[in-house]
Amino acid sequence: MMDFGLHIANFFFYAFHTGLIFFNLFGWLHPRMRKLNLISLLVTFGSWLLLGFWKGWGYCFLTDWHYQVLRLLGERDLPSSYIAFLIEKISGWLPNAELVDSLTVSLALLALLCSFWVNFRNRKVKDKSV
């Protein structure tokens, strides 16, 4: 029975964490999702930087929780990057860690800048029309 719960948790983390990554990257494109996207990105960067101060740079609590479940299911030698983990699961190829980390941070920063821009640009437009 415990094994079934671990498999459910594993499925949840695959779906939720992967969905969150795509939402962080592209959620700013949808006007109704922009504020939530900005909050999600700020929580993500907070985890990477603030929690990372104690746990190691780039720490993600979702990755940590998912990896705990995967270890209980027998997975070993998990890469430090969840993105690298997903790439390996999908393609069988484990990319270079530095490349994955650089692309992850670069794309996340770009998404954060876009999210700030669309959130605060709209506020300026609304302020001018009042």
Side-chain angles (χ1 to χ4, degrees):
M1 189 65 167
M2 171 86 160
D3 207 34
F4 179 72
L6 289 174
H7 286 288
I8 295 295
N10 184 38
F11 176 79
F12 167 79
F13 280 117
Y14 272 123
F16 181 77
H17 200 180
T18 303
L20 183 63
I21 290 166
F22 281 100
F23 178 71
N24 276 348
L25 290 174
F26 304 111
W28 58 270
L29 290 167
H30 192 286
R32 294 178 122 170
M33 295 289 120
R34 288 178 177 161
K35 286 182 184 163
L36 184 59
N37 174 255
L38 181 57
I39 291 166
S40 179
L41 283 163
L42 291 173
V43 169
T44 299
F45 276 94
S47 178
W48 289 357
L49 300 172
L50 297 176
L51 293 176
F53 183 75
W54 291 277
K55 299 276 196 171
W57 181 91
Y59 174 79
C60 175
F61 57 89
L62 287 175
T63 299
D64 191 9
W65 294 344
H66 192 182
Y67 278 12
Q68 287 176 35
V69 169
L70 288 169
R71 284 185 192 100
L72 289 171
L73 289 171
E75 289 272 349
R76 299 291 178 256
D77 301 321
L78 297 165
S80 61
S81 164
Y82 192 75
I83 303 294
F85 167 75
L86 288 177
I87 292 169
E88 183 179 24
K89 281 295 172 192
I90 292 167
S91 71
W93 169 66
L94 180 61
N96 176 282
E98 291 82 24
L99 174 64
V100 172
D101 290 346
S102 295
L103 285 173
T104 299
V105 170
S106 297
L107 291 173
L109 280 171
L110 180 61
L112 182 64
L113 290 172
C114 291
S115 188
F116 271 126
W117 183 69
V118 296
N119 274 286
F120 294 107
R121 174 198 60 145
N122 286 345
R123 183 170 287 170
K124 280 184 171 183
V125 170
K126 285 179 186 176
D127 289 345
K128 286 182 182 180
S129 66
V130 173

